[in-house]
Amino acid sequence: MSKLGTAVGALIEQLESHEARLDELTANVTALTTSLTALSANVTALTATVTALTARVATLEAQPAHATADAGFELEPIRDEAIIALAEYRRQLDDVPFSPEADGVTSAMRAEHYAAVDAVARAASWIERSGPNRDQEIYAAIGAGRKALIRLTAMLEHRPIPLPLLTAEELSGYVDAATDVHTGNRFVWEGRGDAEFLLDRPVSGKPVLLEVVSLGEDHLVLNVIHVERTDRKLEHRFSDTAGLGFVYRKMVGPEVTHLRITGDPGWRARVIQPDELPSMERETTGQGRAWFRHTLGAKKVTIQGTEGGSLEFVPDCDCKGICTDYDHRTPKSLTYHSGDFREDMTLPRRTGMLSVSMRPKSVWSVTVLHY
């Protein structure tokens, strides 16, 4: 009986232990359910806010840029642009499919998604405020959300994760709007002096054409540095100067995650999509450097110029997933000359971008034969 009593006592202790663990698990599940319910409520509230803002955008777009005095009020164009920028950011957020409860979702992914959603609330809170820096605050909040989306997309696509550049203010949850470089346009950044920021792209993992212009005097020069800054590597990929009276345009490979700009003058950087470039006409003339959209096919052309230069070609990137083709990010020389020149040649059959790279004072022309 003594052994039996001991065994029964042991079984009772094990049962009580299992019951205690079950109670603990039940409490954890209850707490998690409560948190998910609260998060769902927050998302629902944010969705309602953005829905209202989207309706307001539709109303604004249907009205003239400025109301007349007879209407009793005057619209604020900058404010309207900020509202439209918030609506566009919300659409960008909706285009990133994400479920916090899905298999394989990590806490880091949830944190970035929460930051992206929270940016909507922060920007929306500034919509109804007044003040000289209101629009900059809205753009800074949206910019913080865009940075979170860039990182979240990299996690979902199992790519190296771009590292955020955090200031003391950002670590506490706030962005210094006075120095933030984001604008209402997703692919345009503006600043003055030194800055480094995440480079957003229309399609992640694809090369893009980058333009940087100095907003100061021609003799003031900017340094433009392409940086790969991820959880796996830190490398300065390319460095060049912008200014001196010409527009800086360079292909940026998919491995570049950040753009660093240093110098004294103000500047504007933007990503140019191929469809935004002008097409070559029957006779195209210019001076210095220029980029064009190439859809002419294998046309014969005559190119001529003074002081020398080159004609280069970048094909459209048709890679699936992440682009690893070196030729898709580096212009291929079709012809090169020094001094005055004239040459007949045939353009590539593939579609892509053509770069006329001449010296700043070089005058050139490209004439398409049998246009």
Side-chain angles (χ1 to χ4, degrees):
M1 292 294 293
S2 176
K3 292 183 177 180
L4 180 59
T6 301
V8 171
L11 289 174
I12 292 174
E13 289 180 359
Q14 292 181 9
L15 179 60
E16 291 176 347
S17 176
H18 288 312
E19 288 178 346
R21 292 183 61 190
L22 181 60
D23 291 341
E24 182 181 354
L25 290 174
T26 301
N28 290 338
V29 170
T30 301
L32 179 60
T33 301
T34 301
S35 298
L36 291 175
T37 301
L39 178 61
S40 178
N42 289 338
V43 172
T44 300
L46 290 175
T47 301
T49 299
V50 174
T51 299
L53 289 173
T54 303
R56 184 174 177 183
V57 169
T59 302
L60 291 171
E61 291 176 340
Q63 294 175 339
H66 294 274
T68 63
D70 294 339
F73 65 92
E74 184 174 331
L75 296 177
E76 300 177 17
I78 297 179
R79 186 175 184 179
D80 299 348
E81 292 174 5
I83 295 173
I84 293 172
L86 178 56
E88 291 177 348
Y89 168 68
R90 179 64 202 208
R91 285 192 287 269
Q92 181 190 359
L93 177 60
D94 291 339
D95 287 340
V96 179
F98 182 79
S99 173
E101 297 82 23
D103 293 339
V105 171
T106 65
S107 58
M109 293 178 183
R110 294 189 186 97
E112 297 298 343
H113 183 257
Y114 178 80
V117 173
D118 185 61
V120 178
R122 292 196 179 192
S125 71
W126 281 99
I127 291 290
E128 301 304 327
R129 302 188 194 183
S130 61
N133 297 321
R134 179 202 57 215
D135 300 298
Q136 290 89 335
E137 293 284 359
I138 295 171
Y139 296 149
I142 294 173
R146 287 179 178 144
K147 290 193 291 185
L149 282 182
I150 293 173
R151 288 170 50 80
L152 175 61
T153 302
M155 295 176 184
L156 294 173
E157 296 178 355
H158 305 289
R159 293 186 287 108
I161 304 169
L163 295 180
L165 296 172
L166 296 175
T167 64
E169 291 78 10
E170 290 174 317
L171 285 172
S172 63
Y174 296 92
V175 179
D176 183 3
T179 60
D180 191 78
V181 300
H182 293 89
T183 68
N185 189 316
R186 175 183 172 188
F187 303 114
V188 177
W189 303 265
E190 292 185 356
R192 175 171 293 278
D194 299 353
E196 183 171 338
F197 54 92
L198 278 171
L199 184 63
D200 204 350
R201 303 165 182 266
V203 181
S204 59
K206 302 291 184 183
V208 294
L209 180 61
L210 173 72
E211 175 186 277
V212 181
V213 296
S214 171
L215 302 181
E217 299 179 10
D218 290 347
H219 69 275
L220 296 176
V221 177
L222 295 165
N223 297 310
V224 182
I225 306 168
H226 303 179
V227 183
E228 180 180 3
R229 186 188 297 275
T230 70
D231 57 342
R232 304 180 191 178
K233 182 186 293 188
L234 171 59
E235 182 177 347
H236 292 178
R237 287 279 181 170
F238 182 82
S239 179
D240 204 350
T241 58
L244 298 177
F246 65 87
V247 176
Y248 172 98
R249 286 181 177 174
K250 293 287 184 181
M251 292 295 297
V252 181
E255 68 281 348
V256 175
T257 59
H258 295 70
L259 191 68
R260 177 185 295 176
I261 299 178
T262 63
D264 293 329
W267 51 266
R268 179 186 298 113
R270 71 181 181 113
V271 167
I272 301 177
Q273 301 191 52
D275 291 342
E276 298 176 8
L277 293 172
S279 298
M280 279 194 170
E281 302 175 353
R282 180 181 181 87
E283 183 172 4
T284 304
T285 61
Q287 181 175 339
R289 304 177 182 179
W291 283 79
F292 297 92
R293 177 70 178 151
H294 173 54
T295 57
L296 295 173
K299 293 283 189 180
K300 292 184 177 180
V301 299
T302 298
I303 179 172
Q304 55 187 337
T306 62
E307 300 188 25
S310 64
L311 180 66
E312 301 173 318
F313 173 69
V314 179
D316 285 337
C317 180
D318 52 5
C319 298
K320 304 299 182 183
I322 306 302
C323 173
T324 58
D325 194 327
Y326 180 78
D327 291 336
H328 290 174
R329 70 193 75 170
T330 304
K332 178 182 179 181
S333 178
L334 301 179
T335 184
Y336 173 81
H337 294 275
S338 59
D340 293 353
F341 69 94
R342 175 188 173 95
E343 179 184 352
D344 295 334
M345 60 178 300
T346 302
L347 297 177
R349 185 175 301 276
R350 292 187 60 178
T351 60
M353 292 178 284
L354 286 171
S355 170
V356 181
S357 183
M358 306 286 177
R359 294 177 180 176
K361 295 183 179 181
S362 177
V363 177
W364 53 265
S365 69
V366 178
T367 303
V368 181
L369 306 178
H370 309 296
Y371 189 81

